[in-house]
Amino acid sequence: MPRRFLQRYMPKPDTLRRQRSLRFIAPLIADPGLWLLTRRSVANAFSVGLFCAMLPIPFQMVVAALGARFTRCNLALSVGLVWITNPLTMPVIFYFNYRIGTFLLEAPVREAPSRISTRWIAEQMHDIMPPLMLGSLISAVLLAIIANIVIRLIWRWHVSHHWKRRRLKRRQRRARIESEFDD
C-alpha cells in the first residue's frame, strides 16, 4: 500500500486535538501508535473498521475507535471504514446479512410490505433480529479476515514491486556508467 497516498488523505492528530468537539477523546488521539501506517496497522484497521461496519448497532464509529485502541491499529482508517455502511448502503448490506442469517438458521424470509413503516419494523423485530445479528456477525468476521489478508498481500506486493523497480534502475544506471567508461 502506498504510505504516501494514505498519509495524504488522513487527518493530522494535531488538527484533531485542537477541535473543541473532540477534546474529550484527546488522550486517545494523542497516542502516536494509533496513527502509524505500517502493514500490520493498516491491515488490522481494515479488519476493525469493516467488522464494525457490518454490525447493525448504533455508534459504530465509537466501537471502531475502541477496537483500534484495543488492537493498536490505525485509528483514522478504522473509524473511516465504518462509513461503508452509510444511509444509502445500509439497507442493502443489512438485507444481505439478514438473508445470510435466514439461510443459516433455516428460517423463513420475512417479506416486506409495499410500504415499510416503523410500526411494521417494530412488530417484526422479534423475528428479524436473530437472523440479522447472525448474518451480520458472519459477514463481519469473514470480511475482516479477508480484508486483513488482502491488505497484507497488496502491501507486500507493492513493496516487492518497488524494490524490483529500484533494482532495475540501479542496474540501468550502472550499465550507463560502465558504457561511458568504455568510450
Side-chain angles (χ1 to χ4, degrees), residues 171-183:
R171 285 181 187 157
Q172 290 172 346
R173 199 174 326 131
R174 199 176 303 135
R176 195 172 345 117
I177 291 171
E178 288 174 0
S179 70
E180 288 175 5
F181 281 124
D182 291 340
D183 292 336

Side-chain angles (χ1 to χ4, degrees), residues 138-159:
I138 297 294
S139 297
V141 169
L142 287 176
L143 191 59
I145 291 169
I146 291 169
N148 195 299
I149 292 169
V150 167
I151 293 299
R152 287 175 190 260
L153 289 174
I154 290 171
W155 194 290
R156 185 173 296 208
W157 173 84
H158 179 75
V159 169

Side-chain angles (χ1 to χ4, degrees), residues 8-120:
R8 188 179 321 149
Y9 295 104
M10 285 187 39
K12 304 289 183 253
D14 295 333
T15 307
L16 294 175
R17 258 185 259 136
R18 286 184 289 219
Q19 296 281 333
R20 277 189 186 175
S21 61
L22 298 176
R23 274 201 192 129
F24 69 98
I25 59 170
L28 176 68
I29 294 172
D31 185 1
L34 297 177
W35 296 94
L36 293 175
L37 288 172
T38 62
R39 180 176 61 206
R40 181 188 154 280
S41 69
V42 171
N44 290 347
F46 267 77
S47 290
V48 169
L50 293 175
F51 180 86
C52 293
M54 292 296 114
L55 300 178
I57 58 172
F59 306 110
Q60 292 172 322
M61 291 173 61
V62 173
V63 175
L66 293 172
R69 175 90 172 164
F70 179 71
T71 60
R72 305 281 303 151
C73 64
N74 190 284
L75 176 69
L77 284 173
S78 294
V79 172
L81 283 166
V82 167
W83 280 96
I84 285 177
T85 51
N86 57 57
L88 294 174
T89 62
M90 194 179 295
V92 175
I93 290 171
F94 289 159
Y95 181 71
F96 177 74
N97 291 346
Y98 169 72
R99 293 298 298 251
I100 290 172
T102 57
F103 174 77
L104 293 173
L105 292 175
E106 297 177 356
V109 176
R110 299 282 177 198
E111 296 299 325
S114 58
R115 291 191 58 195
I116 296 177
S117 66
T118 54
R119 182 176 177 210
W120 179 85

